[in-house]
Amino acid sequence: MKTADFSKIIRDVPDFPKKGILFKDITPLLQDAKAFHTCVEAFAAEFGKEHIDYIIGIESRGFIFSPVLAYKLGAGFVPVRKKGKLPWKTEQVAYELEYGEATLEIHQDAFQKGAKVAIIDDLLATGGTAEATAHLAEKLGAEVVKMAFLVELKFLKGRERLANYDIFSLIQY
């Protein structure tokens, strides 16, 4: 399977989670063993070009790919979660969403200063969540060497917001 075929597997769900939004449902890709394997291998090939100490996964669908990639690359996995979901001392950042505000958190001891990290999530839309995650990592002294996404919605211009970072996406709409 080629990564170009991924867009044929991803399901469009109109009016989810609210009217007017066309949701890109990645679960059919995850259910297809060959497609999932190809996806992970494509991410690993892209990440393998860099030395990465930690893969940061963004809640919740970023958690699907990030631990697998961390294992494959011999890196640590660090979760970034919504406020109140992590059990230890955290750093947090509030940011604007298209429909309100949210807060993300990371453990204060997630990694040491100077760590090279990569951020992964399933979708790049406006870039607000990825940007907030990068700010958290940088607040702890990490260097964000790459960001990767399964799907990029180019018309929302998230890549422009993240222009200071190396961005990779497998599928663009």
Side-chain angles (χ1 to χ4, degrees):
M1 168 164 278
K2 296 178 183 165
T3 57
D5 296 333
F6 289 164
S7 61
K8 297 173 187 168
I9 299 172
I10 293 175
R11 175 175 34 218
D12 287 341
V13 181
D15 299 322
F16 183 83
K18 64 181 188 176
K19 190 159 181 63
I21 293 178
L22 182 62
F23 186 81
K24 298 293 185 185
D25 181 9
I26 67 169
T27 55
L29 182 144
L30 301 173
Q31 293 165 340
D32 182 318
K34 189 173 182 182
F36 184 61
H37 181 265
T38 302
C39 177
V40 169
E41 291 300 318
F43 277 134
E46 184 65 28
F47 281 126
K49 298 174 185 176
E50 308 279 347
H51 169 76
I52 296 170
D53 298 309
Y54 297 91
I55 300 286
I56 298 175
I58 301 174
E59 184 175 1
S60 64
R61 291 180 297 176
F63 289 177
I64 295 166
F65 301 102
S66 47
V68 175
L69 286 167
Y71 173 80
K72 189 159 183 61
L73 299 173
F77 162 65
V78 174
V80 166
R81 300 206 61 193
K82 295 170 184 140
K83 186 176 180 175
K85 299 287 186 177
L86 290 173
W88 189 243
K89 297 173 189 170
T90 62
E91 291 292 334
Q92 59 181 243
V93 64
Y95 66 104
E96 297 289 322
L97 295 166
E98 306 82 60
Y99 46 85
E101 191 175 280
T103 301
L104 292 175
E105 294 183 327
I106 191 169
H107 280 146
Q108 289 177 348
D109 61 355
F111 37 75
Q112 67 282 1
K113 288 187 186 330
K116 296 191 181 300
V117 302
I119 296 170
I120 189 163
D121 204 2
D122 69 314
L123 180 79
L124 173 59
T126 64
T129 304
E131 181 182 50
T133 300
H135 289 304
L136 279 173
E138 291 163 348
K139 191 174 185 179
L140 294 179
E143 176 189 349
V144 178
V145 296
K146 188 172 286 291
M147 291 185 181
F149 305 91
L150 176 61
V151 174
E152 179 179 355
L153 303 177
K154 291 175 76 171
F155 63 93
L156 292 176
K157 303 181 192 281
R159 187 177 288 262
E160 291 175 19
R161 184 175 191 167
L162 303 171
N164 294 329
Y165 301 99
D166 184 6
I167 307 288
F168 172 73
S169 60
L170 288 174
I171 308 162
Q172 296 86 33
Y173 292 98

